[in-house]
Amino acid sequence: MNRRLFLRGSLGALALPAMESVGLAKIQGSKISPAIGNEMKRLVCIGNSFGFHASHFFPTDPGPIRSLPKALEPLKGNLDQTTVFSNLDHGVKGGHFAVHSFLSGVKHSQASSMPDGNLSLDQRAAEVFGFKTRFPSLVVGSENGLHGGCQMSWTRSGVRVPPIEGPKNLFRKLFIQEKSKNNQQVLQHYDLGKSILDASLEDARNLGKRLNGRDRDKLDEYFTSIREVETGIQQKEKWHSVPKPNAPIDEPVNRNLVEDIPVLYKLIALALETDSTRIASFEMAGAQFNTGLLGLNNGYHAYSHHGQKQENIDALLALELYQMECFSQFLDQLKSKKSPNGSSLLDETTVLFGSGMGNGNAHTNNNLPILMAGRGYQTGSHVAMPGAKNKRIPLSNLYLSILNQLEVEDETFAHSTGTLTL
Amino acid sequence: MGKKLSLGIFGLFFSALIHLYAEKDFDSTINPFLQTHCFKCHGPEKQKADRRYDQLLHPIQNDEDLLLFQDILDQLNLGEMPPEEEPRPDPAEVKEVVAWLTSAIAEAQAKRKNNGGETVLRRLNRREYLHTISDLFHLNTDAFDPTEGFPSDKEIHHLDNQGHALVTSGFLLDQYLRAADLVVEKALPSLDKPASREWIQNGNFEQGEFTGFMTSVQKRESVDEPLKSLGWGLKGMTGSMSPEQLAKRRKSLTGKFESILRDVENIPNHIRLYEHPRSQRHMGSYAYMSDLSEGVPFDGYYFFAFDATALYRIPPYEKNFARTRTDEPFRLAVVPGNIEVGPLHLPQPLEPKLAHFEMVDGKRKKYHARIWLNKGSTPRLIFLNGSHLTRNAHIEAAQFLRQRDGLPPLSTGNENLVYGLQHAKLPQVRIHHLFLSGPIIDHWPTRTHKEILGGSTYDSENIRTQLSNFLKRAYRRPPTEKQIDAIHGVYLARTSKGIESWQAFKDSLKAALCSPHFIYLQEEPELETDNIDPHAIASRLSYFLWSSMPDRELFTLARTGELSHPDILRAQTERLLRDSKSDRFVDGFLNAWLTLDNLGNTPPDHHRFKEYYMDDLAPAMRKETHVFFRHLLDNNLPTSEFLTAQYTFTNPALARLYHLPVEKSDFPNPDSFIRVSTEGHPRGGLLGHSSIHTVTANGVDTSPIIRGVWLLENILGTPPSPPPPDIEPIEPDTRGSTTIRDQMERHRSDPTCAECHRKIDPLGFALENFDAIGRFRTTYGPRKKIDASGVLPGGQEFKDLGQFVWHFRNEHPKFIRALTNKLMEYALGRQMEISDRPTIDRILKKVEKQNLGFRDLVIEVVTSDLFVNP
């Protein structure tokens, strides 16, 4: 019997939780408007662990930015490509333990109460139009770093997307073909995967008949996983005959986060340019943020707890300047690269730069630093949202607008109450 | 005794008790007590620590209320509530209330349907997967890790084996497919015996970063860009140079280095090892056969030999530029290297030491060893006690020499470096000749072959039998016909696609490794007893103490059903503990209980904590705690010794760190650990272990808050409450305070903060005498004396670390309860719930009454009802 057909049938047989079927319907039934012209829309999300010092990041007045806050100095040449937002956040608490909600608007511990779990912005976009490229999305970051790092990207089943760590690995993913196996061998390899999944499915069905309650929920994870891997194999088969692009640079070496950040940005720009993906996320966190290389003596975390001491705040500014400078150069790269239809990459890419941490010193997650750039946000102004307690707008409203602009016609995202248009 | 019978007895007992305590009933006696002493802070107006007691009903209605009642009882028993500043209740009254609460809770527990505390289908975690395939296939996994791409396991309170948290995702299943392929192909590479070969290299070696230097200059350009725009230079690197300057510099350096390579001292004809591999630069950290970069073609044992000369152990200058220890012979080790992982002159993640050598000074000598190498690996020599600042050492030496010889000083660091390499006599080992031969096949067919195939020949006529034998071990219980069908189906599918039989057979083994029967521990209840079946008990026991699958003896006892008997369980526990595989339990448990998995996550500053790197302290710190734990376990010593021991176990490096009065000659060799008395020193017991001091610091400085919270959470099992949700966040302002105690003083002056911090801070202060890597200190910096005094929550004052440690011994009841809970959580793969409390109480009572030791405690865990319940 065709086991793949049976897979679909087994969904009903196990009475999966409602959430699952809603999710699938959303993926299958999502409307994607036909592309206007040949525009290829892209999304890049960048986040760090410790946020930005408020006075270094937010301009004092709303409207066109006339004087740049200190940490934003490096953006001088790209000011007209950006928009700064203030007074936006997800209304969560937890300091380091809430940073991971940056792109999802929902803490992992609260995921079970949401219809889409704690699905993140980038992964939602990937669900809808990730199929267009070899890599539905690329998540760059680290499993290390304080309290597990930024942990920005989450799937709808509440699983953190394992990040690609280090420039070397990202380079290999983008440009290195699997070790020379001939075509026959590779296809047989995919075939083996499918046979194994068939057997696993059969085993799981038989097992499921004997289980109850919480065990069956656990087994559901396994079923979902089988489905995901099957889809993955189908994708790989589809892209197998398409060669990867030629590498325009030499293979980099992994060093430490400080030295790797510019290299990673370069590779992300190349990934977009070669249309290897249209959705990239960059978690700027890791075990080795060598502040020593920037002339400082203490660790980043130590400085983020500045205790209002000026020398610490100055050190923090140096770290923030470095990140901003690298980001500005990334925007330069996007500006200089061309999309197939002639516009610059930056004109076709929506970039979100920020953090799930609001105030690193006090460990709060409100008033998040949010800086948009590229398509849809090329204003050079500061948009100050209402600050009063009962008038605040959820950050998820902005995310919903971003999704809509990417032609994902959802009506809600996490706790959104509407959209946020400029 | 069956559960139903014991419930019956409980029932009888309690109907008697009900008469007794019904007289003092809840509404007339107990509730008024709570009203007087508790409601003010835990009632309708305030709910401190999120607890509210004015809505409790009796009989106890549900789990939440049961938890609250238990809470009240605990606080009264501990004497921690009401807090000191409130009026004290009459002791006789307290006694009555305690007695009443104890009975009420016991009654509620007995009546409760046992629907909580069930182990959920529990997935093997990453390390369990690795050990399991190692045991299943008899694979050497020292330098082979098929799990390296696995997403990390989610932990609950640092426990990495809690079924509920161990999620399976598409990412993981994808990795399982990949790992299964790697594992099976490695275990069963071929049916033909591999031929042995030799490799020799006498010259044309690659010398560390000299070869890599040019490429590293090139690659640093990318980070120079942002720094140039900011107008900064990157410390110690090429700095903010224009592209022209950079190109010019590169050209001049190439010329110089090529000339060294060509002319002076024939470097290409030998390799020089200068430094230990944990230094920041790698100018001469690894010596390897560049002719064998691709590594050996087969897994196996190899004969490795080399000629080397150890030079300048005692350099002929007054100053020891290289800062090496001149009183130790040079020591080398062999580690594997895999070019697929990275350049061979740089450190790699998996570097187990395959052999050790102690060098003879001055003479060219031959050394050799038998080592295990995985396919694709090549042997690399490292200099264990080399310098850790080779570059600076050579530069300094060059400056010294030029001055001594009346020569004009050189202008740049690199010029001095080159001169130093040419002329300075600094500690080094020169490797002249490398030889490798193998694989040396002791047994053919291999043990793996025999185990999987049940013999040497692969029998393509009897696939199903061979599969069934494999699944018996892989699934950890005899497979059902349907389960064999599923795997046999893969074999048939593959052969139908034209794959030859041997390969198809291997492919079907891979399918077994992805099956839920392999990756999950299934612990379903038996119908007759409500216990889990003997095979599940066998797995639970082996994963508890070995983090791996059961062995032949356990399988046999499971098959016959004998394993369900407490006596057999006890005997097996002791057997498993005696086996060296139980070290995995010690490691896994210490990671969870004392959070030692964090050791190494915040590497200390290289300048202030040199010895951490020079003496490779991180593994030594870990080992101290490991050996200490093992000592208490193997000798069945009382658990109080965790807190009261006046000895510890150190190697020479750790003894040095602790300033303990031991001689180098007391140690059989530089890596061995011996028992050392700590009397008269502020060490001994866990509180003195540098592993704990390091893991509770952040690599730069210490924080009494972090240490205090850590002690409360892990040692005492009484974590502080999280901050109340409606509290406005405080923006810490520490300007004007000098010592960390001053900063904490400001936290304590606010009564809201003080509520929790009076429990946290004193513990942390007491340990301030240990710096971020556990060195003892009496001052911060040059003049600020450390004040380690404080008051314990119970009221006990202490004036220094010594007194603190003395009083801390009284916390043993909390300590052993926390330890037992953690052991049980680790053993069962789930968190403790209120329904588990009676078992834990019983165990603790038994341990106290019979003066049981630590090993007995572990046995009590295994022979408890919880261990055989689902």
Side-chain angles (χ1 to χ4, degrees), chain B residues 4-38:
Chain B
K4 298 194 169 82
L5 182 57
S6 52
L7 268 178
I9 293 181
F10 263 134
L12 275 175
F13 181 51
F14 277 107
S15 49
L17 254 187
I18 283 172
H19 281 299
L20 279 175
Y21 80 81
E23 288 165 29
K24 300 215 180 308
D25 90 302
F26 181 70
D27 292 319
S28 57
T29 316
I30 307 302
N31 213 17
F33 177 89
L34 297 178
Q35 192 168 27
T36 317
H37 297 287
C38 313

Side-chain angles (χ1 to χ4, degrees), chain A residues 93 143 162 168 188 191 203 210 215 218 221-222 225 228 251 259 293 298 307-308 322 325 329 359 361 364, chain B residues 120-121 152 163-164 166 168-170 223 226 229 234 237 341 497 499 514-516 524 731-732 734-735:
Chain A
K93 288 184 147 76
E143 306 234 316
K168 182 167 126 138
Q188 277 191 357
D191 200 68
D203 272 336
R210 300 186 343 247
D215 280 347
K218 266 291 159 187
E221 284 173 14
Y222 187 78
S225 306
E228 287 171 3
E251 179 166 326
E259 293 185 68
L293 293 174
N298 289 333
Q308 306 301 353
Y322 181 73
E325 178 61 42
Q329 296 195 359
N359 180 333
N361 192 36
T364 57
Chain B
V120 152
L121 207 59
S152 42
H164 186 61
L166 290 173
T168 307
S169 63
V223 72
S229 310
L234 195 62
M237 301 174 82
V341 172
K497 295 254 167 59
I499 308 286
C514 299
S515 166
E524 302 150 49
E731 176 90 53
T734 52
R735 291 170 291 193

Side-chain angles (χ1 to χ4, degrees), chain B residues 560-623:
Chain B
T560 59
E562 286 167 84
L563 195 57
S564 310
H565 291 253
D567 289 336
I568 305 284
L569 264 181
R570 164 182 288 269
Q572 287 302 303
T573 306
E574 299 199 325
R575 177 177 79 90
L576 267 65
L577 283 174
R578 278 194 299 271
D579 190 308
S580 62
K581 289 200 273 198
S582 59
D583 273 338
R584 300 168 185 165
F585 155 61
V586 178
D587 280 330
F589 187 70
L590 284 177
N591 277 346
W593 179 43
L594 301 180
T595 71
L596 294 192
D597 52 342
N598 277 343
L599 199 57
N601 271 5
T602 33
D605 183 70
H606 272 264
H607 299 287
R608 289 170 51 195
F609 303 104
K610 287 202 211 0
E611 50 262 78
Y612 184 86
Y613 299 98
M614 266 179 74
D615 295 335
D616 202 13
L617 287 180
M621 290 175 174
R622 229 205 127 79
K623 192 151 182 198

Side-chain angles (χ1 to χ4, degrees), chain B residues 8 41 56 106 135 137 146 187 192 227 255 277 308 317 337 340 386 446 469 499 513 520 619 622 631 669 700 719 858:
Chain B
C41 300
L56 290 172
D135 289 338
F137 290 98
D192 305 316
L227 294 174
Y317 315 116
E340 293 292 310
T446 60
N469 283 332
I499 308 286
L513 295 184
Y520 291 106
R622 229 205 127 79
H631 176 75
N669 70 62
V700 178
V858 174

Side-chain angles (χ1 to χ4, degrees), chain B residues 10-246:
Chain B
F10 263 134
L12 275 175
F13 181 51
F14 277 107
S15 49
L17 254 187
I18 283 172
H19 281 299
L20 279 175
Y21 80 81
E23 288 165 29
K24 300 215 180 308
D25 90 302
F26 181 70
D27 292 319
S28 57
T29 316
I30 307 302
N31 213 17
F33 177 89
L34 297 178
Q35 192 168 27
T36 317
H37 297 287
C38 313
F39 287 6
K40 190 170 109 177
C41 300
H42 302 290
E45 280 152 29
K46 276 196 275 188
Q47 297 88 40
K48 287 202 167 174
D50 271 338
R51 282 162 172 81
R52 184 174 178 160
Y53 298 137
D54 64 310
Q55 294 168 328
L56 290 172
L57 296 171
H58 182 261
I60 302 178
Q61 306 287 317
N62 52 45
D63 280 1
E64 287 74 40
D65 277 7
L66 181 53
L67 265 166
L68 288 175
F69 272 109
Q70 181 73 65
D71 209 30
I72 299 173
L73 178 59
D74 285 341
Q75 295 298 321
L76 288 175
N77 273 332
L78 286 170
E80 287 189 6
M81 283 287 148
E84 300 116 39
E85 40 301 354
E86 298 293 324
R88 315 307 303 161
D90 170 39
E93 249 193 295
V94 172
K95 212 166 154 193
E96 246 175 27
V97 172
V98 162
W100 187 96
L101 282 171
T102 312
S103 318
I105 289 170
E107 184 205 17
Q109 288 277 16
K111 272 202 284 188
R112 239 172 126 268
K113 266 207 239 130
N114 192 10
N115 57 0
E118 271 174 29
T119 316
V120 152
L121 207 59
R122 179 178 138 201
R123 197 198 86 209
L124 296 184
N125 68 23
R126 193 179 144 167
R127 62 186 171 90
E128 289 168 343
Y129 179 97
L130 186 62
H131 293 310
T132 306
I133 54 112
S134 172
D135 289 338
L136 186 58
F137 290 98
H138 300 301
L139 282 179
N140 182 319
T141 51
D142 287 342
F144 167 62
D145 187 3
T147 70
E148 52 145 345
F150 285 21
S152 42
D153 296 314
K154 195 143 177 288
E155 297 175 357
I156 299 184
H157 300 140
H158 287 268
L159 286 157
D160 65 351
N161 66 353
Q162 306 290 286
H164 186 61
L166 290 173
V167 164
T168 307
S169 63
F171 305 117
L172 180 57
L173 187 55
D174 209 41
Q175 287 294 317
Y176 279 150
L177 283 170
R178 190 186 140 267
D181 197 59
L182 285 171
V183 167
V184 174
E185 293 302 332
K186 186 176 219 23
L188 302 168
S190 150
L191 288 168
D192 305 316
K193 184 172 172 175
S196 175
R197 275 195 58 177
E198 281 181 6
W199 298 267
I200 307 177
Q201 191 164 353
N202 283 316
N204 235 349
F205 296 110
E206 285 173 3
Q207 174 70 39
E209 224 168 52
F210 295 154
T211 326
F213 186 83
M214 289 302 110
T215 37
S216 36
V217 168
Q218 251 166 342
K219 283 171 170 85
R220 276 171 184 149
E221 262 186 343
S222 60
V223 72
D224 281 343
E225 287 303 310
L227 294 174
K228 211 166 32 158
S229 310
L230 288 169
W232 303 349
L234 195 62
K235 200 157 126 173
M237 301 174 82
T238 46
S240 46
M241 287 192 285
S242 70
E244 300 80 46
Q245 286 175 310
L246 201 58

Side-chain angles (χ1 to χ4, degrees), chain B residues 191-449:
Chain B
L191 288 168
D192 305 316
K193 184 172 172 175
S196 175
R197 275 195 58 177
E198 281 181 6
W199 298 267
I200 307 177
Q201 191 164 353
N202 283 316
N204 235 349
F205 296 110
E206 285 173 3
Q207 174 70 39
E209 224 168 52
F210 295 154
T211 326
F213 186 83
M214 289 302 110
T215 37
S216 36
V217 168
Q218 251 166 342
K219 283 171 170 85
R220 276 171 184 149
E221 262 186 343
S222 60
V223 72
D224 281 343
E225 287 303 310
L227 294 174
K228 211 166 32 158
S229 310
L230 288 169
W232 303 349
L234 195 62
K235 200 157 126 173
M237 301 174 82
T238 46
S240 46
M241 287 192 285
S242 70
E244 300 80 46
Q245 286 175 310
L246 201 58
K248 197 167 158 207
R249 155 86 75 92
R250 208 181 307 137
K251 198 152 163 248
S252 75
L253 284 171
T254 314
K256 284 214 166 64
F257 277 22
E258 272 175 6
S259 79
I260 299 182
L261 293 175
R262 238 194 336 271
D263 302 329
V264 182
E265 307 254 44
N266 301 314
I267 282 189
N269 292 334
H270 64 247
I271 310 173
R272 290 191 194 177
L273 288 177
Y274 288 109
E275 73 239 316
H276 69 73
R278 284 168 321 282
S279 5
Q280 287 190 297
R281 322 261 323 192
H282 300 282
M283 292 173 44
S285 303
Y286 294 87
Y288 53 90
M289 267 195 257
S290 42
D291 289 347
L292 188 55
S293 308
E294 73 281 9
V296 295
F298 299 106
D299 287 1
Y301 282 105
Y302 288 79
F303 178 80
F304 176 65
F306 62 99
D307 285 6
T309 316
L311 289 173
Y312 312 130
R313 180 166 65 85
I314 301 171
Y317 315 116
E318 241 181 66
K319 188 160 181 212
N320 180 3
F321 297 106
R323 317 273 200 294
T324 48
R325 295 199 196 282
T326 54
D327 55 348
E328 295 173 356
F330 287 169
R331 286 181 299 126
L332 299 190
V334 189
V335 297
N338 189 327
I339 198 152
E340 293 292 310
V341 172
L344 294 172
H345 68 278
L346 294 177
Q348 297 191 347
L350 287 172
E351 285 185 348
K353 297 188 182 66
L354 307 172
H356 288 83
F357 307 95
E358 207 172 270
M359 312 224 72
V360 170
D361 285 345
K363 288 196 301 217
R364 175 169 167 157
K365 218 180 151 297
K366 288 185 176 318
Y367 302 85
H368 62 84
R370 180 174 134 127
I371 58 175
W372 174 273
L373 285 173
N374 283 316
K375 176 175 163 180
S377 296
T378 190
R380 304 186 292 163
L381 285 163
I382 58 175
F383 190 179
L384 291 174
N385 48 1
S387 171
H388 75 284
L389 26 70
T390 301
R391 185 188 156 86
N392 288 354
H394 280 87
I395 292 175
E396 272 184 55
Q399 289 165 334
F400 163 80
L401 286 173
R402 287 191 71 91
Q403 198 191 33
R404 178 191 75 174
D405 300 339
L407 294 165
L410 296 163
S411 43
T412 66
N414 279 325
E415 286 176 315
N416 276 306
L417 173 64
V418 167
Y419 190 82
L421 288 166
Q422 289 171 325
H423 299 282
K425 293 179 161 52
L426 295 185
Q428 59 191 261
V429 178
R430 297 185 184 181
I431 315 289
H432 309 279
H433 163 83
L434 291 167
F435 174 87
L436 190 71
S437 77
I440 306 167
I441 313 274
D442 296 323
H443 307 285
W444 189 263
T446 60
R447 200 175 158 200
T448 310
H449 265 110

Side-chain angles (χ1 to χ4, degrees), chain B residues 534-535 538 550-563 575:
Chain B
H535 280 99
D551 65 352
R552 193 160 291 162
E553 186 171 332
L554 276 177
F555 274 135
T556 309
L557 291 169
R559 228 179 7 255
T560 59
E562 286 167 84
L563 195 57
R575 177 177 79 90

